[in-house]
Structures are given as structure tokens and as C-alpha cells.
């Protein structure tokens, strides 16, 4: 997928280089650390590093003809989506930090400060798309995305998370607010861990992008979709 001006590259090699360089920068031994100076908490710095380690392990497996599989390539794409969803809001915080320097901006590919309002003032218009994958044991995965794009939370549209509204049973549901259970996720790859006893039941679900800080800007619900829980 072309980078199209995104801060975090969307191609595999570009994103890998970005993950490595930024993780190295966050972990430089200085007091305070670059991450702490820019407002990250220790858990965020650790998660940044953990995503980098996981990515490196997957790439190592793909580079070996013995361990390269289609599953590993899928895991690499999922790692890329997870990193984008995790890092983008943190980078947005960095760029408006009073502590941000030109070196920070060069490493993380952002422009210091912003001329626009601090939040979107127009409701999200783009629909969230996604198709469930029931993998067994009551686990339902729903990777969410924009049309013709890979999975990530579209922060550039004002989205901060994705919301799933779902209901179990054979009834035909057309209203996402009619007795549904709602789940919010800051990762575009949503995983519903349902009771294994629900296997064989129908799940009907709706998807939308949401702005947690300003709910009045939430995007439109998708139409209902359904699947059978395994």
C-alpha cells in the first residue's frame, strides 16, 4: 500500500525501518529518556519495544524457507496494523508537546505543533468495513478498515477507536442499539472472546468508527452482518 503522506510508512520495509529507528530513539540512555521527555509512560515505551520484537521474530521466520508460511505473512500484516493503531495517537501527542525538538520531528516524521483545531469538528463520514472470522472456541475476529485499505484506525478522520455492537440469536436485527452488547477497541483488529458455550449460535454485528473524546462526532453504523460462532 502506498505511503500517501502517512507519518508511519505503510509498506513492509518502510514500516520496519520506522519501528526500529523510533524504538532505538525511545530507548537511548539519557535522563530523562526521550520517551519520558515526550510524555510517554513506561508501559507505552515497553509496548513500542514489544511490537518491534514481535515484528523481528515474524520477519526472521518469513526470511527462512523452512519457517516461511502464509500465516506468518498474515501475522506480519497484523503486527503492522497493531503498531499503526498503537503509535499514531502517541505521535499526535508528541507533535504538540512543548518538549518536542527538531530531532524528535525528524525521527518520528512529524511537524511540530499544528495549525488546525486540537480536534476534528466534523463528524466522521467514512463507514467502517469488516468481515468476521470465527476461529473456534467462541473467538470471533473482526478486522476493521476503510474501503480498499488495510486495517488501521483512521485517526486522520478523527477516529480514536472502533465500536462493535453485537447480539446473539436467530432474530433479524437492523438496529445497532436494539439490545446489543457494545465493545470499543483502540485496535482495528477486534477480537471478541465469547463463551465457548455460544458455539453454533448466530452473531449479528454492526461496526463504526468512534471519537471517544467527542462522541457527537462518531461515524455511521454499518449495516448488519452475521456469522455462526465456532
Amino acid at each position: 500500500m502506498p505511503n500517501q503522506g502517512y507519518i508511519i510508512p505503510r509498506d513492509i520495509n518502510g514500516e520496519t525501518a520506522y519501528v526500529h529507528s523510533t524504538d532505538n530513539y525511545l530507548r537511548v540512555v539519557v535522563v530523562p529518556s526521550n520517551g519520558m521527555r515526550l510524555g510517554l509512560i513506561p508501559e507505552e515505551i515497553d509496548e513500542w519495544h514489544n511490537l518491534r520484537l514481535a515484528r523481528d521474530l515474524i520477519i526472521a521466520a518469513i526470511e527462512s524457507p523452512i519457517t516461511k508460511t502464509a500465516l506468518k505473512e498474515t501475522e506480519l500484516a497484523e503486527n503492522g496494523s497493531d503498531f499503526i493503531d498503537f503509535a499514531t495517537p502517541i505521535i499526535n501527542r508528541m507533535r504538540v508537546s512543548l518538549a518536542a525538538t527538531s530531532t524528535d520531528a525528524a525521527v518520528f516524521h512529524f511537524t511540530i505543533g499544528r495549525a488546525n483545531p486540537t480536534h476534528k469538528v466534523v463528524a466522521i463520514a467514512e463507514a467502517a468495513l469488516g468481515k468476521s472470522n470465527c476461529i473456534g472456541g467462541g473467538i470471533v475476529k473482526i478486522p476493521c478498515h476503510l474501503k480498499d485499505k488495510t486495517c488501521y484506525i483512521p485517526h486522520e478522520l478523527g477516529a480514536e477507536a472502533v465500536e462493535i455492537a453485537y447480539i446473539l440469536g436467530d432474530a433479524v436485527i437492523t438496529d445497532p442499539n436494539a439490545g446489543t452488547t457494545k465493545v470499543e477497541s483502540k485496535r482495528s483488529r477486534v477480537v471478541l472472546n465469547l463463551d465457548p458455550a455460544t458455539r453454533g449460535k448466530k452473531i449479528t454485528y454492526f461496526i463504526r468508527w468512534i471519537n471517544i473524546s467527542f462522541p457527537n462526532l462518531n461515524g455511521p453504523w454499518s449495516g448488519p452482518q452475521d456469522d455462526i460462532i465456532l
Side-chain angles (χ1 to χ4, degrees):
M1 176 178 175
N3 289 328
Q4 299 177 350
Y6 294 114
I7 287 178
I8 302 173
R10 288 338 195 222
D11 64 289
I12 292 174
N13 291 336
E15 184 172 1
T16 299
Y18 184 90
V19 171
H20 283 189
S21 63
T22 54
D23 181 58
N24 290 340
Y25 188 72
L26 290 174
R27 302 181 72 81
V28 169
V29 181
V30 293
V31 179
S33 69
N34 289 323
M36 298 293 283
R37 175 176 54 78
L38 289 167
L40 279 71
I41 61 175
E43 290 79 7
E44 290 174 326
I45 297 172
D46 289 344
E47 179 65 7
W48 201 294
H49 187 60
N50 290 338
L51 285 166
R52 180 246 182 99
L53 294 178
R55 187 176 188 85
D56 288 348
L57 287 174
I58 297 168
I59 290 175
I62 290 175
E63 290 177 343
S64 169
I66 299 174
T67 54
K68 180 179 180 179
T69 64
L71 177 60
K72 288 298 178 184
E73 292 178 340
T74 298
E75 288 179 359
L76 181 58
E78 291 176 345
N79 174 276
S81 294
D82 286 349
F83 180 78
I84 291 169
D85 289 345
F86 165 75
T88 299
I90 295 175
I91 295 167
N92 287 338
R93 281 169 27 209
M94 289 181 186
R95 68 192 295 264
V96 296
S97 169
L98 295 177
T101 67
S102 58
T103 301
D104 300 329
V107 170
F108 291 99
H109 302 178
F110 61 69
T111 301
I112 295 175
R114 65 172 75 191
N116 298 324
T118 57
H119 66 275
K120 293 284 184 178
V121 294
V122 178
I124 301 165
E126 294 281 350
L129 305 176
K131 179 61 180 174
S132 58
N133 178 22
C134 298
I135 64 173
I139 299 174
V140 180
K141 293 185 175 182
I142 308 177
C144 304
H145 56 90
L146 294 170
K147 184 179 180 180
D148 300 328
K149 295 188 178 181
T150 54
C151 295
Y152 72 95
I153 301 293
H155 294 274
E156 69 276 11
L157 300 180
E160 296 178 345
V162 62
E163 184 175 26
I164 307 288
Y166 72 90
I167 192 168
L168 306 181
D170 294 328
V172 176
I173 304 297
T174 58
D175 182 357
N177 298 306
T180 57
T181 298
K182 293 187 172 69
V183 175
E184 295 179 2
S185 172
K186 291 186 177 181
R187 297 286 174 93
S188 55
R189 296 189 307 109
V190 182
V191 179
L192 302 177
N193 291 292
L194 306 178
D195 190 324
T198 61
R199 286 180 291 185
K201 292 186 177 182
K202 185 178 80 170
I203 178 172
T204 301
Y205 60 92
F206 307 78
I207 313 169
R208 68 172 175 174
W209 305 119
I210 61 173
N211 186 311
I212 297 173
S213 303
F214 300 92
N216 60 304
L217 304 181
N218 289 346
W221 284 107
S222 69
Q225 299 185 77
D226 60 71
D227 207 340
I228 301 299
I229 303 169
L230 302 178

